[in-house]
Amino acid sequence: MGSQEVLGQAARLASSGLFLQVLFRLITFVLNAFILRFLSKEIVGVVNVRLTLLYSTTLFLAREAFRRACLSGSTQRDWSQTLNLLWLTAPLGVFWSLFLGWVWLQLLEVPDPNVAPHYAAGVVLFGLSAVVELLGEPFWFLAQAHMFVKLKVIAESLSIILKSVLTVFLVLWLPHWGLYIFSLAQAFINWKEAKLTWSFFKQSFLKQILTEGERYVMTFLNVLNFGDQGVYDIVNNLGSLVARLIFQPIEESFYVFFAKVLEREKDATLQKQEDVAVAAAVLESLLKLALLSGLTITVFGFAYSQLALDIYGGAMLSSGSGPVLLRSYCLYVLLLAINGVTECFTFAAMSKEEVDRYNFVMLALSSSFLVLSYLLTRWCGSVGFILANCFNMGIRITQSLFFIHRYYQRSPHRPLAGLRLSPVLLGAFALSGGVTAVSEVFLCCEQGWPARLAHIALGAFCLGATLGTAFLTETKLVHFLRTQLGVPRRTDKTT
């Protein structure tokens, strides 16, 4: 399979992933706004932080390393050996769910039964739902490796919709069930791949600490009460809405592309130069897309955070620390976007030895991140988590940029040029940020709905002008989006 064909399939997979993210985030967005009217923020905090952390940690430790290792390389392999390796995720999931369930029940603070009833049952059911999901891991891998787009979209969309419908039904008719509502709705070996899996397991464990670090600090160190945890999680989900809609499916799909096109154990100059050139061009375009999207969210999110929270959750979110949290998160989204693309390439191109060396960096970064999260939270409240995450992302981006620079150093390709913007476009962002900031002072958010609508209209005008400037100045990115993500091909072989 040629690199161009792999690129086309990866682009279609990213588009389907984008559809799934839009569906999932839209449903989650509406569901959270609905739930806030019926359940306490303490229950939301226990579910979205404590129990969801148990679920995501079990899945991450049991399968992430297998996914990264087994998706590396071409589809020409001994599939029976690969699938045998993937079936190990289920017993690993049982082990981690039992161990972590014991920690959640015996070592952590148990919520007040009057505030969050049925906590123990929630722990058991969330752990069980993780094991059930892991039973389908080999089938997920086959769909991802062979890029069966329609199968993936249909299966995951049905799962999201059914879970959401069941949650709404239980909230409306059985609100006294408390945590039962969310718990019931959640519900021969290739040794080369096995060694690579072990390397990625160590890396995944550390990356999980960096990804979910604030939840671990909240869960184990009790720096915030359950109510504040609930507010933080709602703001966190709202802040990451656009980022995860766009960047997560791109990162997952183009990781597959880079892993198939590039060879881990070879220098860039020793590989097929057509593949290396295509990978460099794609990386440059993805970096540009991440930078532009992140800057847009940062610039316009600053002036519209308070208004968004007031519309979404009322005074409970728009007063107090909510607006500061969301403004800080907008800056974090910029770093999150760039990091997603750089690590997508880095993890696909690293050799086993480089992955092992990188693990030492991740170990030091994980320790410093946890300490910094605790100290900053003690100093400036929940916004300290976001500041610590910004530090974490900055270091990870730096590591990945060094790797990419070294990887292409002896080749004529310079994909890091994607992180440079024209002065005209930078000026458009600066002008839009200044205009919308002034607009917020005079038009939002205590002046009534006519002033709010004027503030929104002005922001829409500035956004349109900025995007128009980007369209005129970033022609290379526009061509990439049109040819790879926007125009369907007659040769689509979706299954």
Side-chain angles (χ1 to χ4, degrees):
M1 185 184 293
S3 58
Q4 290 292 341
E5 187 177 352
V6 175
L7 174 58
Q9 289 187 343
R12 292 192 294 275
L13 191 62
S15 300
S16 69
L18 181 60
F19 167 77
L20 282 174
Q21 286 296 324
V22 169
L23 175 66
F24 174 72
R25 291 291 166 178
L26 181 61
I27 291 174
T28 303
F29 184 84
V30 175
L31 192 62
N32 280 339
F34 170 79
I35 288 172
L36 285 174
R37 271 77 177 170
F38 290 87
L39 299 177
S40 68
K41 63 181 181 180
E42 285 77 16
I43 286 184
V44 174
V46 172
V47 172
N48 288 358
V49 177
R50 178 74 68 86
L51 296 181
T52 301
L53 182 63
L54 168 66
Y55 176 77
S56 65
T57 302
T58 301
L59 291 178
F60 202 94
L61 293 176
R63 75 184 181 189
E64 183 68 14
F66 290 89
R67 285 187 172 186
R68 289 193 177 276
C70 293
L71 283 173
S72 301
S74 70
T75 56
Q76 302 299 319
R77 63 173 77 194
D78 188 335
W79 285 102
S80 62
Q81 293 181 341
T82 299
L83 292 176
N84 286 341
L85 184 64
L86 284 168
W87 279 118
L88 292 176
T89 57
L92 272 176
V94 173
F95 166 76
W96 284 116
S97 64
L98 290 174
F99 175 73
L100 294 174
W102 176 80
V103 172
W104 258 240
L105 289 173
Q106 301 298 324
L107 301 184
L108 299 181
E109 176 193 2
V110 176
D112 184 350
N114 295 321
V115 175
H118 314 301
Y119 172 74
V123 170
V124 172
L125 291 173
F126 266 73
L128 180 61
S129 65
V131 175
V132 171
E133 182 168 337
L134 288 169
L135 292 174
E137 188 62 19
F139 308 105
W140 178 94
F141 169 78
L142 288 174
Q144 189 81 355
H146 292 283
M147 300 182 180
F148 295 161
V149 177
K150 288 183 180 178
L151 174 64
K152 188 172 183 287
V153 170
I154 292 172
E156 295 188 7
S157 298
L158 285 176
S159 174
I160 293 168
I161 292 170
L162 289 175
K163 176 184 172 182
S164 301
V165 169
L166 180 57
T167 301
V168 170
F169 175 83
L170 293 174
V171 167
L172 282 175
W173 277 274
L174 298 167
H176 59 281
W177 277 24
L179 298 180
Y180 271 132
I181 294 172
F182 298 92
S183 303
L184 292 174
Q186 185 76 5
F188 307 110
I189 293 176
N190 183 323
W191 289 106
K192 182 179 180 181
E193 287 178 346
K195 291 178 182 177
L196 188 59
T197 298
W198 173 242
S199 296
F200 274 121
F201 173 78
K202 292 181 287 185
Q203 185 188 85
S204 298
F205 182 81
L206 298 172
K207 185 178 179 182
Q208 175 69 358
I209 294 177
L210 294 174
T211 304
E212 302 277 14
E214 69 271 18
R215 287 179 168 82
Y216 289 114
V217 173
M218 280 189 273
T219 298
F220 288 94
L221 299 181
N222 297 320
V223 293
L224 298 177
N225 60 47
F226 289 119
D228 290 340
Q229 289 181 26
V231 172
Y232 174 84
D233 187 77
I234 292 168
V235 172
N236 177 65
N237 287 335
L238 187 61
S240 65
L241 185 65
V242 178
R244 297 196 184 280
L245 283 179
I246 300 173
F247 303 124
Q248 185 172 329
I250 289 178
E251 179 182 352
E252 292 176 352
S253 302
F254 283 95
Y255 171 81
V256 177
F257 164 73
F258 290 128
K260 287 180 179 294
V261 169
L262 302 175
E263 299 181 56
R264 287 186 181 276
E265 305 297 332
K266 287 187 179 180
D267 186 85
T269 57
L270 302 178
Q271 300 185 44
K272 187 178 178 182
Q273 290 308 296
E274 179 188 353
D275 292 347
V276 173
V278 170
V282 170
L283 178 59
E284 181 180 349
S285 296
L286 292 179
L287 285 173
K288 186 79 72 176
L289 177 63
L291 180 61
L292 286 175
S293 303
L295 270 177
T296 302
I297 293 169
T298 301
V299 169
F300 289 92
F302 186 87
Y304 291 88
S305 292
Q306 185 175 359
L307 179 60
L309 290 175
D310 191 62
I311 295 173
Y312 184 58
M316 185 185 79
L317 296 181
S318 62
S319 60
S321 62
V324 177
L325 276 174
L326 191 53
R327 290 187 183 109
S328 303
Y329 205 95
C330 289
L331 173 62
Y332 174 55
V333 165
L334 171 61
L335 301 176
L336 192 69
I338 297 173
N339 179 72
V341 174
T342 55
E343 284 194 346
C344 160
F345 177 88
T346 299
F347 293 155
M350 276 182 171
S351 66
K352 175 186 176 301
E353 291 72 23
E354 288 171 324
V355 171
D356 287 334
R357 286 199 298 270
Y358 189 77
N359 287 339
F360 287 103
V361 177
M362 296 280 276
L363 177 61
L365 189 56
S366 300
S367 303
S368 61
F369 170 67
L370 292 177
V371 173
L372 189 62
S373 294
Y374 179 78
L375 294 177
L376 287 176
T377 306
R378 289 293 187 188
W379 174 47
C380 54
S382 53
V383 73
F385 286 124
I386 300 176
L387 297 178
N389 271 315
C390 289
F391 169 80
N392 156 35
M393 285 297 163
I395 299 298
R396 287 165 64 177
I397 289 170
T398 302
Q399 291 289 325
S400 296
L401 291 180
F402 276 127
F403 175 84
I404 295 169
H405 174 73
R406 290 196 307 269
Y407 191 87
Y408 282 104
Q409 192 169 18
R410 291 187 289 176
S411 77
H413 310 294
R414 296 293 178 265
L416 295 183
L419 293 176
R420 292 199 295 266
L421 296 179
S422 69
V424 175
L425 184 53
L426 288 174
F429 274 115
L431 182 60
S432 295
V435 170
T436 53
V438 172
S439 171
E440 183 185 32
V441 173
F442 290 100
L443 299 176
C444 185
C445 289
E446 305 297 332
Q447 309 300 322
W449 271 105
R452 290 184 177 191
L453 292 174
H455 180 49
I456 294 173
L458 185 59
F461 174 79
C462 290
L463 178 61
T466 303
L467 293 180
T469 305
F471 183 84
L472 294 175
T473 58
E474 302 298 337
T475 55
K476 200 173 186 179
L477 174 62
V478 172
H479 176 73
F480 173 78
L481 294 176
R482 279 178 170 175
T483 56
Q484 299 302 332
L485 298 180
V487 180
R489 303 159 185 260
R490 292 183 180 180
T491 57
D492 274 6
K493 294 182 180 179
T494 54
T495 301

